[in-house]
């Protein structure tokens, strides 16, 4: 299971600055650059939802172990996701569906 959560890390690495081409307005990306961020957010959301559903299906009767697992996953996942999310969610990369891509804020995760 921990291996699956580790897989999410690839979606949280910084995007190469050369991949982000902005329109004349500094906060709006060119089409292809927007797709880069869409893929990152979409992949993270999909993978997170899948892993979260699988984890919810597991039963960990030991409450101490269950709390420790949640804490460990949270400590590993939330800081890099927070950094990625707050850096890129403020950039307009989707004209119609920003809320769909940015629905998993660090406070939700």
């Amino acid at each position: 299971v921990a291996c699956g959560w580790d897989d999410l890390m690839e979606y949280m690495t910084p995007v190469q600055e050369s991949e982000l081409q902005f329109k004349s307005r500094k906060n709006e990306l060119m089409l292809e650059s927007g797709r880069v961020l869409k893929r990152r957010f979409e992949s993270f959301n999909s993978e997170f939802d899948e892993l979260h559903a699988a984890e919810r299906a597991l039963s960990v009767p030991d409450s101490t172990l269950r709390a420790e697992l949640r804490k460990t996953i949270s400590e590993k996942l939330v800081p890099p996701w927070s950094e990625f999310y707050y850096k890129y969610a403020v950039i307009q990369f989707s004209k119609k569906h920003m809320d769909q891509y940015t629905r998993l804020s660090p406070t939700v995760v």
Side-chain angles (χ1 to χ4, degrees):
V1 173
C3 192
W5 291 108
D6 286 341
D7 294 341
L8 282 176
M9 302 307 276
E10 75 179 85
Y11 307 121
M12 296 182 266
T13 58
V15 175
Q16 297 290 327
E17 292 300 319
S18 62
E19 292 183 87
L20 299 180
Q21 302 296 317
F22 289 89
K23 292 183 178 180
S24 57
R25 291 181 295 185
K26 183 66 176 142
N27 201 32
E28 192 173 345
L29 290 174
M30 302 292 280
L31 183 62
E32 193 54 42
S33 294
R35 288 180 180 151
V36 169
L37 289 180
K38 284 179 185 179
R39 280 191 297 270
R40 290 287 195 94
F41 275 93
E42 189 173 49
S43 296
F44 178 88
N45 292 345
S46 175
E47 186 87 12
F48 180 88
D49 289 343
E50 187 177 310
L51 288 167
H52 188 255
E55 293 271 324
R56 289 183 59 92
L58 297 176
S59 175
V60 181
D62 184 330
S63 61
T64 304
L65 177 58
R66 186 173 51 247
E68 187 60 37
L69 286 169
R70 283 184 179 146
K71 180 182 175 202
T72 300
I73 291 169
S74 181
E75 287 174 347
K76 185 170 186 123
L77 189 65
V78 173
W81 180 241
S82 293
E83 188 174 329
F84 182 88
Y85 184 91
Y86 291 121
K87 181 174 183 176
Y88 298 113
V90 297
I91 299 172
Q92 183 72 34
F93 60 85
S94 176
K95 290 183 179 183
K96 297 179 183 175
H97 305 289
M98 281 295 290
D99 57 335
Q100 176 184 326
Y101 293 104
T102 58
R103 67 183 170 81
L104 292 176
S105 70
T107 56
V108 171
V109 169

